[in-house]
Amino acid sequence: MKKNLKKILILLPALFAVVFVSFCIYLSVLLSPVSAQKTASVINDTNAENSAVAAYYSGVRIEVSYGETAYDVANKLCSAGIIKNARLFYYFIRFPRAFSIFFKNEQIPASYALKSGVYYADSSMSFPQLAELFSSGKTEYVSVVIPEGYTISKIGALLEQNRICTAEDFISFCKTKKLPLEYGIPAESCEGYLFPDTYFLNIGMDAETVARVMIENFFEKIKSVSGLSEKNSEDLFQIVTLASIVEREYRVPEEAPLIASVFKNRIRRNIGLYSCATVEYIITEILGRPHPERIMVDDTRIDNPYNTYKWAGLTPGPISNPGLIALDAACNTPQTNYYFFQIADASAGKHVFTTTFEEHKVNHNLYTKK
């Protein structure tokens, strides 16, 4: 009996050694890349100029949404065939140094912080390479075009459509006091200060960050408009408000300054602007109703401070986010004797401008019949 026990005690360390070595080999296999061959590029382009682009967009496209955990990313990589074991990759992200013995030829940091975005991962990549990729912030950008004249809610819907952020989050940030106060906007909303432009954004981007990018772009772009960036916050707000109405009224660029002159002349005489765009803003943005095909007489009687048929002067704030043409028209408005404008060619978006109401009535009857 004692001899058998002695043999067992002698063999036990060897047995443990065999088990440990086997386990290490097993782990090594699970930690090794799925494939020795790099995945072909998802872009089929033989142009040498695009070789760098093709190299980046090789592999499998993996989206990491804002708020997703390391384990979520690990599961996505495993499902896509990029790694062999999701839980092992999760533990590697949490405790990278514990696995350094398996990656002697690679630099292993103390920790990784995975970031949201869109990445292209390859099955030939090691755990450290994948962790480095997903924590680099080097993601695919989504090109989002914000049209001139869009409101906060329309921009929010466009961002959500492109999976940048939710419309609710974007609208919430733009309609709270925090950002207007920070950027010196004398209002409780950022409406008018979200510059319409082409933006390159990340999927799952923070809504507040998106809003800041657009506001900062606004203050940068208005430097190109003569005299605009020098205005104090109150005067700038008035110009942006007027520009937001002009933006929704003009279609031919050369008419924007003339439309602005009509509105300024009417403001000086305390005459209502009579802008259908302001009524449309009330219907869609304030009342939350569908976009009307036509503005009816009853619509012009809505009791709201944004109704320029009911109240003289500018609206309490911008009704859209204007571009440079409308901003320049509102800031550097030519002097005219015009008090009225009437659509003359709906297909081309051209207007006729008149000084007296009698002239306007003649044009109204003439072009309405046409």
Side-chain angles (χ1 to χ4, degrees):
M1 186 71 177
K2 289 183 178 181
K3 288 183 179 181
N4 290 335
L5 183 60
K6 193 174 183 180
K7 287 180 181 180
I8 292 172
L9 291 174
I10 292 172
L11 292 173
L12 199 57
L15 182 61
F16 277 125
V18 170
V19 171
F20 178 75
V21 171
S22 300
F23 179 70
C24 288
I25 293 171
Y26 175 68
L27 273 183
S28 180
V29 170
L30 290 180
L31 290 166
S32 65
V34 171
S35 172
Q37 296 291 326
K38 189 174 178 64
T39 307
S41 170
V42 295
I43 296 178
N44 296 317
D45 198 325
T46 55
N47 191 331
E49 293 180 2
N50 294 324
S51 60
V53 176
Y56 175 72
Y57 291 109
S58 64
V60 179
R61 188 175 185 272
I62 305 290
E63 293 184 18
V64 180
S65 301
Y66 183 76
E68 284 193 309
T69 66
Y71 194 63
D72 294 326
V73 176
N75 279 322
K76 287 185 176 183
L77 290 173
C78 193
S79 298
I82 302 300
I83 59 175
K84 298 171 183 176
N85 187 285
R87 190 169 294 277
L88 203 54
F89 184 74
Y90 167 74
Y91 286 131
F92 174 78
I93 295 296
R94 293 290 305 276
F95 315 105
R97 289 280 172 83
F99 293 83
S100 58
I101 190 173
F102 296 99
F103 305 103
K104 291 181 179 179
N105 297 323
E106 298 188 62
Q107 290 280 75
I108 309 295
S111 63
Y112 289 103
L114 304 190
K115 298 176 182 178
S116 61
V118 179
Y119 301 86
Y120 286 82
D122 194 275
S123 59
S124 66
M125 297 173 75
S126 66
F127 273 28
Q129 288 173 330
L130 288 168
E132 188 66 29
L133 172 67
F134 283 87
S135 60
S136 67
K138 193 176 183 180
T139 69
E140 175 190 66
Y141 290 99
V142 177
S143 174
V144 181
V145 179
I146 307 299
E148 296 170 341
Y150 259 39
T151 59
I152 287 173
S153 63
K154 287 180 179 177
I155 294 173
L158 191 59
L159 292 171
E160 183 168 287
Q161 180 184 329
N162 284 274
R163 296 175 296 167
I164 305 302
C165 61
T166 67
E168 183 181 357
D169 283 351
F170 184 77
I171 294 168
S172 175
F173 277 118
C174 290
K175 291 190 175 181
T176 55
K177 292 182 180 180
K178 180 181 178 181
L179 290 181
L181 188 64
E182 185 176 330
Y183 287 97
I185 301 169
E188 295 186 359
S189 165
C190 298
E191 192 81 87
Y193 293 79
L194 304 169
F195 192 77
D197 206 345
T198 299
Y199 293 92
F200 297 93
L201 307 168
N202 294 332
I203 289 175
M205 200 169 178
D206 181 68
E208 184 175 358
T209 302
V210 178
R212 287 181 185 279
V213 167
M214 293 181 181
I215 295 171
E216 288 172 11
N217 190 30
F218 168 86
F219 284 106
E220 184 62 33
K221 288 296 175 66
I222 64 171
K223 292 177 183 177
S224 66
V225 177
S226 177
L228 187 54
S229 60
E230 292 82 9
K231 301 290 183 183
N232 62 45
S233 60
E234 289 291 343
D235 289 344
L236 178 60
F237 183 71
Q238 296 299 310
I239 291 171
V240 171
T241 300
L242 175 58
S244 74
I245 302 172
V246 173
E247 184 65 67
R248 298 303 304 272
E249 293 284 359
Y250 92 89
R251 283 177 59 192
V252 181
E254 55 265 28
E255 289 186 358
L258 299 179
I259 291 174
S261 76
V262 169
F263 288 149
K264 282 193 174 181
N265 288 339
R266 294 176 78 89
I267 290 170
R268 275 193 289 269
R269 294 280 299 274
N270 202 34
I271 304 171
L273 301 187
Y274 280 42
S275 167
C276 290
T278 63
V279 178
E280 179 194 313
Y281 180 82
I282 296 169
I283 293 170
T284 59
E285 301 299 319
I286 297 175
L287 301 180
R289 284 162 27 191
H291 193 289
E293 290 186 12
R294 292 178 61 190
I295 300 297
M296 311 303 289
V297 174
D298 284 347
D299 296 327
T300 65
R301 295 171 180 157
I302 297 173
D303 189 14
N304 188 283
Y306 278 85
N307 187 350
T308 55
Y309 280 85
K310 196 172 179 67
W311 306 101
L314 286 172
T315 51
I319 65 166
S320 73
N321 291 279
L324 289 177
I325 291 174
L327 286 165
D328 186 47
C331 182
N332 302 296
T333 311
Q335 289 188 344
T336 71
N337 293 320
Y338 297 140
Y339 284 85
F340 306 91
F341 60 92
Q342 163 71 40
I343 190 75
D345 186 343
S347 61
K350 291 186 176 181
H351 298 82
V352 288
F353 296 83
T354 51
T355 301
T356 67
F357 184 58
E358 287 70 26
E359 292 173 315
H360 178 64
K361 283 196 297 183
V362 171
N363 285 330
H364 179 75
N365 291 332
L366 174 64
Y367 294 110
T368 299
K369 286 177 182 178
K370 281 188 178 181

